[in-house]
Amino acid sequence: MTSVQDRSVVILGSGPAGLTAALYAARANLIPLVLKGVDAGGQLMLTTEVENFPGFPDAILGPELMERMEKQAARFEAELLHQEATRVDLSSRPFGVWSGDEEWRAKTLIIATGAKAKMLGLESERRLLGHGVSTCATCDGFFFRGQELLVVGGGDSALEEALFLTRFATKVTLVHRRGQLRASKIMQDRALAHPKIEVLWDSVVEEVLGDGQVAGARITNVKTSETADVAAGGVFVAIGHTPNTALFEGQLEMQNGYIAVEEPSTRTSVEGVFASGDVVDFVYRQAITAAGMGCQAAIDAERFLEAQGH
Ligand code: NAP
């Protein structure tokens, strides 16, 4: 049995929100503990070029940006553990935080657990995940050199994936359930002008085809009800994200499935618990807004501790 450690600030998650919270809490001498989680670094770890994070006029790779953020937090004595919280008890302060049989007692908790990729929910999609079905072009695109690929979705993520995949694929077909894209104008312009990208409008994937490895997808046009089998070596699902809130269900108030905060602060429905980044934000969802909220959460936690006389 391990001993229980007391901490002023425990931060869950190590994306832009968690690491910015760690930087600010560390510089306030609160020696925060960061449980980085299994997907340490968050969604930017699955991104190539980040062109819209201020301070990097020539762009920076997502994983490199996260490495820099982590180094910066560690420089001010944030303690970072490559572990995930498996249970939290927010019913009384200090809060209980567990990772397996390790336990911490936290005076304040900053939740920055982010969000993860949504799936279509097809049995064939689950079966062929990692065998041609992917949610990450950056991670897997290289394996599909010289092949024809499908990307499902019509938002910025889908278009970003489609554009990235043109580096490897001979053709990328975007499958979108409506006749209009949700993505930003600039991404639409880029994708629709790309000679390798084609769009199947008003179309849904009924089934991913393949025995052991993806061979294509059965696609139905929702307007005409026509169904066709389209050959492809890979199917990239890029239909949005789900916030990582399972640990907090029944313990914190939610809004649309995301953790509710008392805007403009990062205060949640439990005093002493703060939340920031993609686990809260279903509107902006940017690395820079997540980092900004992480900063707010650390300042909110610091002020809370001060008001409590710590
Ligand atoms: P999103 O904007 O929510 O778009 C999800 C897309 O997937 C929509 O087109 C949606 O169709 C479709 N979709 C959802 N569920 C589906 C299902 N079950 N079957 C088929 N299609 C489905 O998600 P996102 O593209 O991940 O973007 C999220 C946020 O991050 C946005 O604010 C976006 O601007 C931002 N983002 C920005 C960048 C960038 O700036 N470079 C890159 C990536 C993401 P409908 O349109 O019909 O709803």
Side-chain angles (χ1 to χ4, degrees):
M1 176 119 172
T2 51
S3 61
V4 178
Q5 286 181 36
D6 292 317
R7 309 293 299 219
S8 296
V9 181
V10 171
I11 298 168
L12 306 182
S14 56
L19 292 179
T20 307
L23 171 65
Y24 271 76
R27 293 190 80 258
N29 263 344
L30 294 170
I31 316 172
L33 170 73
V34 182
L35 296 182
K36 289 167 65 178
V38 257
D39 298 321
Q43 293 177 75
L44 280 192
M45 298 303 281
L46 311 177
T47 310
T48 46
E49 307 254 301
V50 179
E51 292 179 330
N52 53 10
F53 203 90
F56 299 94
D58 301 319
I60 182 166
L61 294 174
E64 191 188 337
L65 179 58
M66 296 323 297
E67 195 185 316
R68 285 177 179 227
M69 283 193 198
E70 184 171 331
K71 266 193 196 152
Q72 198 173 351
R75 180 179 151 211
F76 296 103
E77 292 184 44
E79 186 185 352
L80 296 119
L81 299 181
H82 203 140
Q83 282 171 240
E84 72 164 341
T86 47
R87 185 161 75 91
V88 295
D89 178 1
L90 309 181
S91 61
S92 62
R93 278 200 315 269
F95 308 113
V97 179
W98 288 263
S99 176
D101 60 3
E102 271 186 85
E103 182 180 348
W104 294 270
R105 291 275 135 191
K107 288 180 186 146
T108 62
L109 183 69
I110 295 177
I111 300 169
T113 47
K116 64 172 158 299
K118 273 189 193 164
M119 303 300 289
L120 296 168
L122 306 168
E123 184 281 323
S124 52
E125 170 195 48
R126 252 192 317 276
R127 181 166 42 82
L128 292 165
L129 190 65
H131 301 277
V133 173
S134 171
T135 58
C136 177
T138 313
C139 323
D140 302 331
F142 184 81
F143 302 116
F144 297 90
R145 272 178 188 281
Q147 300 191 37
E148 295 195 359
L149 301 174
L150 297 173
V151 174
V152 188
D156 279 323
S157 297
L159 269 53
E160 200 171 67
E161 301 272 274
L163 283 162
F164 179 72
L165 289 169
T166 58
R167 299 183 190 192
F168 311 101
T170 50
K171 179 182 167 189
V172 177
T173 303
L174 192 73
V175 184
H176 183 41
R177 64 183 178 183
R178 291 188 295 138
Q180 199 182 1
L181 295 169
R182 180 177 294 278
S184 55
K185 177 84 171 62
I186 185 170
M187 294 296 281
Q188 292 198 29
D189 291 347
R190 278 188 205 169
L192 296 176
H194 200 288
K196 282 190 184 176
I197 296 179
E198 208 171 87
V199 186
L200 285 180
W201 300 103
D202 304 306
S203 297
V204 295
V205 172
E206 300 284 355
E207 194 184 342
V208 183
L209 304 171
D211 185 14
Q213 186 65 34
V214 167
R218 183 154 300 148
I219 294 170
T220 297
N221 183 302
V222 292
K223 289 215 161 134
T224 63
S225 298
E226 273 172 34
T227 294
D229 289 353
V230 178
V235 176
F236 286 79
V237 181
I239 59 169
H241 296 86
T242 308
N244 297 317
T245 54
L247 275 182
F248 319 106
E249 264 159 35
Q251 302 198 67
L252 289 177
E253 267 174 34
M254 306 277 171
Q255 183 189 7
N256 299 332
Y258 290 71
I259 294 176
V261 293
E262 281 173 45
E263 283 172 0
S265 82
T266 61
R267 285 193 297 270
T268 68
S269 55
V270 172
E271 246 196 337
V273 179
F274 306 90
S276 57
D278 283 10
V279 75
V280 172
D281 174 18
F282 51 87
V283 179
Y284 302 104
R285 296 163 158 159
Q286 301 297 303
I288 188 68
T289 51
M293 284 185 84
C295 159
Q296 288 176 273
I299 292 175
D300 286 343
E302 185 191 341
R303 290 182 181 164
F304 174 83
L305 287 167
E306 208 170 83
Q308 298 284 313
H310 296 299

